[in-house]
Amino acid sequence: MNTSLIDVPRGLAGVAVASTSVGEVRGEEGFYHYRGHSAVELARSGSFEAVWELLLGTPPDGAARNLPPVLGGVVDRLDLRSALSFLAASMGLRALVDESPEERRADAHHVVAALPTLVASLQRGTVVTPRPELGHAADYLGMVTGEPPSAELARALEQYWILTVDHGFNASTFTARVIASTGADLGACVVGGLGALSGPRHGGSPSRVLDMLDAVAACGDAHAWLQDELRAGRRLMGFGHAVYRAPDPRSELLREVATAIAPERAALARRVELAALELLAGRRLVTNVELYAAVVLEACGIPRRWFTGTFACSRVVGWCAHALEQAEDSKIIRPDAHYVGDPPAA
Ligand code: ACO
């Protein structure tokens, strides 16, 4: 074994691998912010567009929401990751290492603006036309449902999006930064981030939260159902967090939002939450963002299989802000590992 290597904790927990001015999560306090502004306060009273400008430096351009016409031939047969690669290629994004900061920022705006249209088009199986006069969240809901969006649901989705724009060095953001450190194009960073986000230990859990709520509703006894899950060695979806030890502030605001737009489902989620926290007591596991996010997304009419894609429409802002920041650093992120396999043949 190479003893000159520095060993870090499992999962890189508690290891600072970069400096950032994008945002910060204070897990012991149950607080996080974007460039010094409380994310929860922004979600209570701000707009998604203002948060976008805060993170990416310039305001969004509604005209950039349109998809390149070439997407029309493929949206009925691609999954999100493939379609996103296709979109990035059709935008002609260049390697970050070859671009000026202004060109990188222009790429970021283009990708962030077009992603909701892409996700909505994949859901509809045809390229949909955005309405730039609407806010991003309202426009997305309208494109997904094909109907004029309700102001109440559009605001609920907007609050969810503001809360999920960025969140420290989570797995997808770190992935995006690793790819940015190679000098690859911004599309590669975003596709990589999306891949990491899709896992159920990260952004892939809210559809499983709804499966859990359905199962608890059918069983009628939240405590018994959750206890069986834990006894079977399974994790409870929507609970636990790598950083939060105090309550996750996202879940607290989303509980309010969910209760306002889907009171019955939110009440079921609350029963599940109280039973889960009782069963998990002593393990310092909190309710995370996904429990009530699932209720909010369902109430907004988003099909479960598109929950992660809808999450990506906000987190893409954070991935791009981090990728642009990482692109300023010429050092590639390239850690090492202890080799523990068979020794080389003599
Ligand atoms: N249910 C039951 N037990 C759990 C749960 C849970 N939800 N979460 C953690 N534990 C247990 C684990 O078994 C772990 O013990 P082990 O290492 O012996 O397996 C112990 O608690 C300690 O876990 P942590 O170190 O605190 O958790 P970690 O940082 O590894 O994982 C994670 C955090 C992935 C969020 C985890 O809590 C989990 O899988 N939760 C369920 C899925 C989920 O809700 N994902 C969404 C996360 S939010 C987001 O990414 C947007």
Side-chain angles (χ1 to χ4, degrees):
M1 193 185 283
N2 182 349
T3 52
S4 67
L5 297 179
I6 301 164
D7 285 308
V8 294
R10 194 169 155 242
L12 296 179
V15 176
V17 296
S19 298
T20 182
S21 65
V22 177
E24 178 192 25
V25 180
R26 297 182 183 168
E28 294 290 340
E29 293 173 35
F31 174 78
Y32 72 114
H33 65 88
Y34 306 146
R35 299 203 193 281
H37 300 262
S38 158
V40 169
E41 289 313 313
L42 288 169
R44 283 200 184 279
S45 53
S47 68
F48 181 67
E49 286 74 10
V51 174
W52 169 329
E53 183 173 356
L54 179 67
L55 263 68
L56 291 175
T58 42
D61 169 10
R65 293 180 198 169
N66 286 298
L67 297 181
V70 66
L71 261 293
V74 296
V75 286
D76 60 339
R77 68 193 75 158
L78 292 182
D79 68 359
L80 178 53
R81 261 175 279 167
S82 317
L84 187 52
S85 296
F86 195 96
L87 174 67
S90 66
M91 285 176 170
L93 304 180
R94 294 189 300 125
L96 289 168
V97 76
D98 294 329
E99 290 188 321
S100 66
E102 292 70 33
E103 289 170 322
R104 292 173 191 151
R105 187 166 294 114
D107 286 352
H109 279 281
H110 207 169
V111 171
V112 173
L115 186 57
T117 316
L118 181 69
V119 178
S121 297
L122 291 165
Q123 290 178 60
R124 301 280 302 279
T126 184
V127 169
V128 293
T129 307
R131 291 177 54 193
E133 72 277 13
L134 296 178
H136 270 259
D139 196 15
Y140 176 68
L141 275 191
M143 290 189 286
V144 166
T145 60
E147 290 166 13
S150 115
E152 186 187 31
L153 295 182
R155 180 62 188 153
L157 181 72
E158 181 173 36
Q159 289 186 292
Y160 163 70
W161 270 2
I162 294 172
L163 286 172
T164 53
V165 154
D166 184 54
H167 205 245
F169 259 62
N170 59 84
S172 58
T173 297
F174 183 45
T175 302
R177 284 191 78 126
V178 169
I179 297 171
S181 84
T182 72
D185 65 68
L186 200 67
C189 303
V190 170
V191 173
L194 180 63
L197 187 73
S198 67
R201 291 180 191 162
H202 191 10
S205 65
S207 62
R208 294 170 188 242
V209 165
L210 288 192
D211 296 342
M212 172 179 72
L213 295 185
D214 290 345
V216 168
C219 159
D221 183 339
H223 194 277
W225 190 89
L226 296 169
Q227 196 161 45
D228 283 351
E229 284 294 288
L230 291 172
R231 283 193 181 132
R234 287 189 282 271
R235 292 185 178 190
L236 304 181
M237 293 294 121
F239 297 92
H241 196 270
V243 176
Y244 283 122
R245 296 299 169 250
D248 180 340
R250 301 170 299 179
S251 79
E252 299 198 323
L253 179 51
L254 286 172
R255 187 194 301 129
E256 283 177 35
V257 175
T259 302
I261 60 173
E264 280 185 28
R265 203 65 157 153
L268 172 62
R270 182 66 176 154
R271 286 199 296 282
V272 167
E273 179 179 24
L274 293 175
L277 293 180
E278 196 182 312
L279 287 163
L280 298 171
R283 298 203 213 174
R284 294 192 84 196
L285 296 179
V286 299
T287 312
N288 66 45
V289 60
E290 304 293 27
L291 182 69
Y292 292 101
V295 178
V296 170
L297 292 172
E298 180 183 50
C300 286
I302 311 289
R304 301 180 186 199
R305 64 181 290 254
W306 289 104
F307 282 4
T308 305
T310 303
F311 185 173
C313 291
S314 62
R315 188 52 62 84
V316 68
V317 177
W319 294 334
C320 287
H322 278 276
L324 299 193
E325 194 175 70
Q326 188 65 45
E328 297 290 320
D329 186 343
S330 58
K331 182 72 179 166
I332 191 169
I333 298 175
R334 203 294 191 193
D336 216 320
H338 289 300
Y339 174 71
V340 294
D342 292 335

